[in-house]
Amino acid sequence: MSLTVEKCIQAWTNSLRQMNSKADIVFFGDSLTYYGDFSSVFPDKVVCNLGLRGDTIQGMIDRVNQVIMLEPKYVFIMAGINDVTSLSIKSFKKKYLLLIETLLKGLSGSKFYIQNILPVNSTDFDVSCNNEHIEICNRCIKEVANDKQLFYVDLFSDYLDLNGFQLSNKFTIDGIHLQSTAYCRWYKKIAEII
């Protein structure tokens, strides 16, 4: 982790500590989480979006204290799209397990919802990963969720095109990230859970 990133994480964590606030629901993830307007789904709850653009599983491990300080009742986790091409499957699962174990250790009273990685569209866009690899990573994520007896949320299937192979063009701006209107499927799924 670079010194600049480390300082930013420390500043963000310090701000949360000084606010001394608690959250009902925390969304913890990367840019896919960052761009979501999850508070609109739960207007009667205190919702904190801890999505960070470009974040990796290791980056999220480094930020776990931010989640712990908020003492949420519910934690929705989405991690891994930025690790799909850079980690072996074994390393991916090991890091993902460490992320979940670290969260569980710090938040024994919270309910955790493990969201799988969304598909990409590598046919119409120049993206560095493919859905076959994402599906393998999603199997690892599901194994971790099952091993830890946590609720697994399958969003991957909800975003496939009619052929069931790619992220639908109507949902994406660049093959990975969602158009703002495409979040409605995600919102609907999580609203059914809580």
Side-chain angles (χ1 to χ4, degrees):
M1 177 178 3
S2 75
L3 187 58
T4 304
V5 171
E6 188 175 343
K7 284 183 178 182
C8 286
I9 290 172
Q10 286 175 345
W12 195 4
T13 305
N14 192 42
S15 294
L16 289 170
R17 182 180 296 111
Q18 288 179 11
M19 288 170 41
N20 197 28
S21 322
K22 305 303 174 208
D24 295 312
I25 307 169
V26 167
F27 288 86
F28 191 41
D30 49 40
S31 58
L32 290 163
T33 300
Y34 174 84
Y35 290 113
D37 182 15
F38 300 104
S39 58
S40 68
V41 184
F42 305 104
D44 59 332
K45 306 274 187 207
V46 177
V47 177
C48 184
N49 184 333
L50 291 178
L52 180 61
R53 292 182 294 178
D55 211 358
T56 61
I57 298 170
Q58 182 60 53
M60 290 174 66
I61 293 167
D62 295 338
R63 295 191 301 122
V64 161
N65 282 337
Q66 295 171 353
V67 182
I68 292 170
M69 273 188 288
L70 294 168
E71 298 177 13
K73 296 173 188 159
Y74 306 98
V75 182
F76 285 84
I77 302 155
M78 179 181 280
I81 188 64
N82 296 313
D83 296 288
V84 168
T85 58
S86 61
L87 294 177
S88 69
I89 296 304
K90 183 178 179 182
S91 294
F92 181 95
K93 187 173 182 181
K94 184 177 178 182
K95 279 194 183 269
Y96 202 96
L97 179 61
L98 178 59
L99 170 64
I100 300 306
E101 288 177 340
T102 306
L103 282 164
L104 287 170
K105 184 178 178 184
L107 291 167
S108 59
S110 300
K111 289 187 179 178
F112 291 88
Y113 298 90
I114 311 300
Q115 304 166 113
N116 63 7
I117 304 169
L118 298 180
V120 296
N121 185 318
S122 56
T123 301
D124 301 314
F125 297 91
D126 184 23
V127 297
S128 61
C129 58
N130 62 58
N131 289 322
E132 292 82 9
H133 202 122
I134 289 173
E135 286 183 294
I136 293 168
C137 291
N138 280 342
R139 282 196 288 275
C140 291
I141 293 169
K142 188 172 186 176
E143 287 171 11
V144 170
N146 289 341
D147 289 347
K148 297 297 178 182
Q149 299 179 340
L150 303 174
F151 193 81
Y152 178 77
V153 182
D154 177 20
L155 292 169
F156 181 91
S157 302
D158 293 337
Y159 282 95
L160 290 172
D161 62 14
L162 294 175
N163 297 323
F165 187 69
Q166 296 286 324
L167 174 61
S168 175
N169 273 338
K170 67 181 181 180
F171 294 144
T172 186
I173 57 174
D174 60 6
I176 295 175
H177 297 97
L178 299 177
Q179 294 189 31
S180 58
T181 55
Y183 275 90
C184 63
R185 287 177 178 240
W186 192 340
Y187 300 157
K188 181 180 179 195
K189 191 109 176 193
I190 60 176
E192 292 169 356
I193 293 170
I194 295 183

